[in-house]
Amino acid sequence: MLSASEITELLAVRGDDQERLFARARACRRAAHGDNVYVRGVTEVTNVCTVNCDYCPMRKDNTADNDIYWLSTDELVAAAGAVRASGINVVLFQAGEAGRTTRVVGEALPRIRALFGDDVEIMLNLGNKSRDDYAYLRDQGATTYILKHESANPEINQRMRHESLESRLRCMTDLLELGYRVGTGGIVGLPGQTLVDIADDIVLARDMGVHMCSFTPFVPAARTPLEGHPPGDVDVTLNAVAASRIVAPHWLIPSVSALEKTATGGQGRGYAAGANVLTINFTPDKNLDQYLIYGEQRFVVRGDYAARLLADTGLTASRSPYTVAARAA
Ligand code: SF4
């Protein structure tokens, strides 16, 4: 088992050492997952958020100036229909943190299960909620939940998110105890963050027993307190992906669109570093520009780009093995 200090050393490698790290990560991926890349279809439910993260344009302080939208339950079901028509059976609903998402999304889930005949993995990324809300969403059909801890350093978490790491970890524990498959992860390049902090992100995910972990380079966005801060280092982010794969070969690990936004070709390098998840955006065109995560010029993954990206990796697009039907069996 890799120690935190060994992971920290891996995060710093470059050149030939980095290529060797990536090759080792790919071997771990192949042993655990073959050549499969699990494809998700994400729909962004609302751009309202009650949290005030310093790096995010959807932060609470910006709400009054943002062009607010909410998708209806009918629109969520329609988006899931488009996901299904694309041959994808992982339906991901993502939003800022807002209490109303429990009802709007929860009411859509039984209809989506029926649409897929339960051959669907319903994945949510809706932030901190009460244990009762998580239980309700699970009973409606959600199988998986992404709740990134963002930074394992409690001081950075409090300074960047104005919330405690402890409250985040309590939600992750609730989700695990309720039987969700849970994904977490961190941001690379936050002010004051060290490689030791990023190694701790991986150790925290391993020790909590999550099923998925992702790393995203920090992307400076206009109208945020961090708009003048430099972007996160893509090589460190890719090394974090590779180290995660070696630490936990069974994890699902995305190669995120923010890698492409930060460096052309960055998302493809994520697969070379051992990632095995691709997320395609199904948010309706009319709302796409209103979902401001990473800022107004974010890089959006649509089907045509995803097909080219996958072809370049030589990996195989795959459906989820973790469906509602599989959980019931
Ligand atoms: Fe809200 Fe998420 Fe943005 Fe933080 S990162 S302000 S929780 S939408």
Side-chain angles (χ1 to χ4, degrees):
M1 185 187 288
L2 288 177
S3 67
S5 61
E6 288 169 326
I7 297 171
T8 305
E9 284 176 23
L10 293 180
L11 295 174
V13 298
R14 295 288 188 280
D16 289 347
D17 287 343
Q18 188 180 43
E19 289 309 316
R20 276 192 285 277
L21 169 66
F22 289 1
R24 187 176 162 197
R26 289 195 299 274
C28 289
R29 180 185 62 201
R30 193 170 306 116
H33 297 276
D35 284 333
N36 293 317
V37 169
Y38 302 101
V39 183
R40 302 169 176 168
V42 66
T43 303
E44 292 146 339
V45 181
T46 178
N47 56 359
V48 171
C49 187
T50 56
V51 190
N52 213 27
C53 300
D54 278 5
Y55 43 79
C56 178
M58 297 197 303
R59 63 202 305 267
K60 184 176 70 176
D61 283 357
N62 288 6
T63 306
D65 298 327
N66 287 345
D67 186 11
I68 294 305
Y69 79 92
W70 276 92
L71 296 188
S72 66
T73 296
D74 285 348
E75 287 176 307
L76 297 184
V77 176
V83 171
R84 182 172 179 272
S86 298
I88 299 168
N89 75 338
V90 184
V91 174
L92 167 58
F93 290 127
Q94 173 167 300
E97 202 166 298
R100 203 172 121 197
T101 57
T102 302
R103 183 182 58 75
V104 174
V105 173
E107 289 176 0
L109 298 191
R111 293 168 60 189
I112 293 167
R113 291 175 54 175
L115 191 66
F116 281 83
D118 279 350
D119 179 21
V120 61
E121 178 179 359
I122 299 177
M123 180 180 290
L124 306 179
N125 180 2
L126 305 173
N128 289 11
K129 290 186 179 293
S130 69
R131 188 178 175 105
D132 283 350
D133 277 5
Y134 289 147
Y136 162 75
L137 289 165
R138 179 203 58 189
D139 294 346
Q140 293 294 94
T143 52
T144 313
Y145 206 101
I146 297 171
L147 195 66
K148 293 178 69 175
H149 63 272
E150 313 295 10
S151 173
N153 180 321
E155 185 276 326
I156 293 177
N157 226 287
Q158 188 68 47
R159 178 161 45 85
M160 291 288 108
R161 305 192 70 248
H162 311 284
E163 291 199 342
S164 70
L165 175 63
E166 187 191 356
S167 63
R168 199 70 158 177
L169 300 186
R170 193 165 55 239
C171 287
M172 286 167 61
T173 302
D174 281 342
L175 289 161
L176 287 163
E177 288 176 356
L178 288 164
Y180 279 92
R181 290 170 47 78
V182 174
T184 191
I187 302 173
V188 170
L190 294 172
Q193 186 186 45
T194 65
L195 293 185
V196 173
D197 292 322
I198 299 165
D200 286 346
D201 288 330
I202 297 172
V203 171
L204 181 151
R206 178 185 70 195
D207 291 351
M208 288 206 69
V210 300
H211 308 86
M212 300 167 278
C213 189
S214 72
F215 282 93
T216 306
F218 163 72
V219 178
R223 300 192 300 121
T224 66
L226 296 187
E227 70 176 308
H229 191 73
D233 188 307
V234 168
D235 283 301
V236 173
T237 311
L238 293 168
N239 290 354
V241 166
S244 299
R245 174 61 67 206
I246 294 164
V247 165
H250 63 283
W251 275 350
L252 300 194
I253 302 178
S255 183
V256 299
S257 61
L259 280 166
E260 194 67 28
K261 162 96 182 164
T262 309
T264 303
Q267 196 167 11
R269 289 183 74 203
Y271 297 103
N276 67 341
V277 174
L278 173 63
T279 304
I280 300 176
N281 198 302
F282 285 83
T283 302
D285 286 340
K286 68 181 173 62
N287 304 110
L288 208 49
D289 292 341
Q290 293 164 290
Y291 197 81
L292 294 167
I293 204 125
Y294 307 133
E296 283 152 15
Q297 308 299 324
R298 73 174 168 144
F299 185 85
V300 177
V301 175
R302 294 295 207 181
D304 47 353
Y305 163 82
R308 283 197 305 276
L309 182 64
L310 266 181
D312 287 348
T313 65
L315 299 169
T316 307
S318 299
R319 291 164 67 82
S320 168
Y322 306 112
T323 61
V324 177
R327 183 171 72 181

